[in-house]
Amino acid sequence: MHPAFSVVFFTTATGAGYGLLALLGVLGGAQIIPPDFWLGFIGMGLALGLIAAGLLSSTGHLGRPERAWRAFSQWRSSWLSREGVASVATFVPAGLFCIGWVFFDRTGGWVAIAGLLAAIGAIVTVCTTGMIYASLKPIAQWHSRYTLPAYLIFSAMTGSVLLNALLQGFALGSRMLLAASMLLTLLGWGWKLATWRYNDALEIATNANTATGLVGGTVRSLEWPHTEENYLLKEMGFRIARKHSARLRQITQVLAFALPVLLLAATLALPWPFAAVLSVLAAIAQLSGMLVERWLFFAEAKHTVSLYYGR
Amino acid sequence: MTCLPSQGGKKLGLVIDLDTCVGCQACATACKEWNTGGHMAPLTDIDPYGGTVDGVWFNRVHAYEHTTEMGGRTVNFPRSCLHCETPACVTVCPTGASYKRASDGIVLIDEDKCIGCKLCSWACPYGAREFDTDVGVMKKCTLCVDRIYNDNLTEEDRVPACVAACPTSARHFGDLGDPRSAVSQLVAERGGVDLMPELGYHPTNKYLPPRAHTRRAASVPAKALEPVRAEGGFLGWVDRMLSN
């Protein structure tokens, strides 16, 4: 599958944004995080900014973005429509929570309820994003039990590492949150390794024989219907060299998982300004690594239409 | 709604004979010619005379080499929308632009509602949908819905353009929901198959596999032809002497 930057950025940014929003909603509402003006302003600004930037970016790959409002109508059958509805609906409690925290300096009472609803909305939205990919049968690497949990784990992971960077910046860091973000990063690493292992050993029932209905023997593409790449090949026939794939997997592991865990571990032992700097670096490394991970998620996915072209 | 309609009995579709298809591209060309002025018009071409030619086609003819223990053979393979019974391209559509008609099972796109998100083309395992980068919407085979019900055409022309154009009658159009129809009987007789049945899309269109290999060689009953003009020189003199 062609890794369009708008979609790679969209899923990575909204994943982190919804993760951060859910954690702020729950921990803020439960008074674990103090209702400080600047903390709320920057934290909610970052969460909602990442979500809004991601959603705007996703409209960038539409052929007719001016009709995007129509995408809210088919929630009964379409995961993409459900994602649209859930993402917009989540802005309501998230906005109320933000107003309560930033303008009224309180995170209890109705603001806590709004925070909880925003967290639920965030989780639902991330689920719908994951299901868009998990429900596509022609792409075996996505149509697996690994896809939906991956979106949820990576959202929680990037959200917690961002929240840790934010709290460390305000000298409010806690060992609990540090430990949680390290554990989530290790969980994400393990899940990614398991996914790659599963995909590499995947035995796909669909092949050139079933695609053409020609039984037995070998089916070799002799001649394409066209001389140049068409939409199908540009969009779904994207191929990545095995050696590049191996190198990019290494880069993903270093940036998204190994480096953040090391930086967060060092943060445990360091005082305020250093701990804050390392926490922010961990978040930057992880988000960059997740962009590579998401790029690979697309680049390594093989659509059945490529069988017709002998790819 | 992009929820699938409860299906009536009628399932219009194509039956494609891989035994007789000669890969002449007439169906693809006739399709392009009709449909660039039809229901989903235009079928945009980008840089048609340049080095990076691209464009929207509803029908693409591939050629494959199928090798079995019986030997190898070339199989020409036209690929277009199969008007599936459970088309995921319809259910994934977020806007309701994609729909399947309850009356005859044809899968269509309402171009005025399409936002060009391309998810339907990801959901189609057969590559039946092609994006028009110029108009910004998805396009696909309409089963020539503007021909098959067209009262302005004569009865025999009320078939899809690809079927009308095929010089070897490798393409057949009809109601695959009716077991007594000519196309259904053809499928039963020749053992017509679904493409990628394991994915569960239940395509309406069927493909007739190439007939089995035969050891028979063609026999030519006519005598070999004689040269019209006599040869000259020594060989010509020998020929004339022996012929007398």
Side-chain angles (χ1 to χ4, degrees):
Chain A
M1 298 297 292
H2 171 69
F5 184 75
S6 60
V7 181
V8 170
F9 175 76
F10 157 64
T11 54
T12 312
T14 53
Y18 282 121
L20 182 57
L21 174 64
L23 288 170
L24 283 174
V26 171
L27 299 179
Q31 312 295 317
I32 295 168
I33 301 174
D36 175 73
F37 169 79
W38 284 109
L39 184 60
F41 186 76
I42 295 175
M44 287 304 288
L46 186 62
L48 295 178
L50 279 169
I51 294 166
L55 291 173
L56 279 177
S57 156
S58 76
T59 60
H61 89 289
L62 296 182
R64 302 298 290 256
E66 76 279 8
R67 298 175 183 164
W69 60 272
R70 288 189 180 275
F72 301 120
S73 65
Q74 304 302 310
W75 48 270
R76 266 174 281 196
S77 75
S78 165
W79 282 106
L80 179 54
S81 185
R82 287 170 195 160
E83 182 196 46
V85 172
S87 65
V88 170
T90 304
F91 272 111
V92 178
L96 288 174
F97 180 66
C98 190
I99 289 167
W101 186 342
V102 174
F103 295 106
F104 297 107
D105 286 335
R106 56 178 288 198
T107 47
W110 62 270
V111 185
I113 294 168
L116 194 63
L117 289 176
I120 293 168
I123 294 166
V124 169
T125 309
V126 173
C127 283
T128 57
T129 307
M131 281 311 293
I132 291 173
Y133 300 99
S135 68
L136 292 172
K137 282 192 207 169
I139 304 149
Q141 289 82 2
W142 294 355
H143 187 64
S144 85
R145 58 182 183 275
Y146 286 90
T147 303
L148 177 60
Y151 272 85
L152 286 167
I153 291 169
F154 293 147
S155 179
M157 175 186 87
T158 47
S160 70
V161 171
L162 272 179
L163 181 63
N164 173 64
L166 187 72
L167 292 182
Q168 294 283 353
F170 282 86
L172 291 168
S174 75
R175 285 175 170 269
M176 271 296 267
L177 183 62
L178 256 176
S181 44
M182 282 167 69
L183 280 176
L184 280 167
T185 302
L186 288 173
L187 177 63
W189 195 352
W191 196 260
K192 195 71 237 183
L193 286 175
T195 310
W196 283 335
R197 202 180 141 108
Y198 172 80
N199 284 347
D200 291 345
L202 203 55
E203 281 179 27
I204 302 170
T206 303
N207 52 38
N209 288 99
T210 66
T212 56
L214 298 170
V215 181
T218 57
V219 175
R220 188 172 71 90
S221 175
L222 210 55
E223 201 172 42
W224 286 1
H226 38 91
T227 53
E228 307 303 314
E229 297 229 324
N230 66 346
Y231 165 74
L232 298 174
L233 287 170
K234 287 173 189 163
E235 181 79 1
M236 286 166 281
F238 187 90
R239 286 187 301 178
I240 173 167
R242 197 174 284 273
K243 62 173 181 181
H244 292 165
S245 163
R247 177 57 57 85
L248 286 166
R249 283 185 180 189
Q250 287 169 357
I251 293 173
T252 299
Q253 292 188 69
V254 170
L255 279 180
F257 309 118
L259 197 56
V261 167
L262 286 176
L263 289 170
L264 293 174
T267 304
L268 274 174
L270 289 171
W272 175 63
F274 306 106
V277 170
L278 289 192
S279 294
V280 170
L281 281 178
I284 292 170
Q286 184 161 78
L287 285 177
S288 324
M290 287 314 289
L291 283 175
V292 182
E293 182 276 332
R294 208 51 52 86
W295 192 91
L296 267 180
F297 176 75
F298 281 86
E300 289 191 310
K302 187 171 179 257
H303 193 283
T304 50
V305 76
S306 57
L307 292 169
Y308 288 108
Y309 289 89
R311 284 189 169 179
Chain B
M1 278 307 293
T2 49
C3 292
L4 297 177
S6 55
Q7 201 59 42
K10 204 170 175 187
K11 292 194 288 180
L12 294 185
L14 299 172
V15 173
I16 295 167
D17 191 342
L18 296 180
D19 193 70
T20 49
C21 176
V22 291
C24 68
Q25 309 280 339
C27 55
T29 321
C31 165
K32 180 87 168 175
E33 191 264 339
W34 175 267
N35 284 296
T36 201
H39 181 78
M40 293 237 73
L43 265 58
T44 311
D45 281 321
I46 308 289
D47 192 22
Y49 305 104
T52 55
V53 53
D54 192 1
V56 181
W57 294 67
F58 294 166
N59 187 16
R60 305 270 192 182
V61 185
H62 295 255
Y64 298 101
E65 185 182 63
H66 185 212
T67 311
T68 59
E69 62 272 21
M70 292 295 289
R73 74 161 109 208
T74 302
V75 178
N76 299 295
F77 184 89
R79 179 175 56 81
S80 59
C81 175
L82 308 173
H83 299 281
C84 300
E85 280 180 60
T86 50
C89 60
V90 170
T91 50
V92 301
C93 176
T95 68
S98 281
Y99 60 103
K100 183 170 175 70
R101 301 191 346 158
S103 58
D104 53 16
I106 299 180
V107 176
L108 290 175
I109 301 170
D110 181 345
E111 279 188 84
D112 294 332
K113 287 185 185 162
C114 177
I115 58 172
C117 72
K118 305 175 192 128
L119 187 59
C120 56
S121 68
W122 294 7
C124 172
Y126 309 103
R129 290 171 170 244
E130 299 199 5
F131 185 67
D132 187 329
T133 50
D134 195 46
V135 186
V137 300
M138 194 58 73
K139 302 208 165 165
K140 70 175 291 298
C141 162
T142 66
L143 206 63
C144 281
V145 71
D146 42 8
R147 281 179 70 98
I148 58 177
Y149 296 113
N150 194 333
D151 293 335
N152 297 314
L153 299 177
T154 55
E155 180 88 42
E156 62 269 26
D157 279 333
R158 287 180 213 156
V159 293
C162 56
V163 175
C166 182
T168 61
S169 293
R171 303 180 72 94
H172 307 267
F173 165 71
D175 180 7
L176 286 144
D178 175 8
R180 289 160 306 167
S181 69
V183 281
S184 295
Q185 287 178 354
L186 186 62
V187 170
E189 185 191 320
R190 292 277 306 280
V193 296
D194 285 351
L195 303 185
M196 303 189 200
E198 66 280 2
L199 292 184
Y201 282 58
H202 305 289
T204 299
N205 287 12
K206 301 283 182 273
Y207 282 74
L208 306 180
R211 289 181 173 87
H213 279 271
T214 157
R215 297 267 174 233
R216 270 185 295 122
S219 64
V220 183
K223 281 183 188 163
L225 295 176
E226 294 289 324
V228 176
R229 198 159 54 90
E231 272 191 76
F234 175 71
L235 282 177
W237 177 79
V238 173
D239 183 39
R240 277 197 304 280
M241 284 297 117
L242 294 174
S243 301
N244 285 336

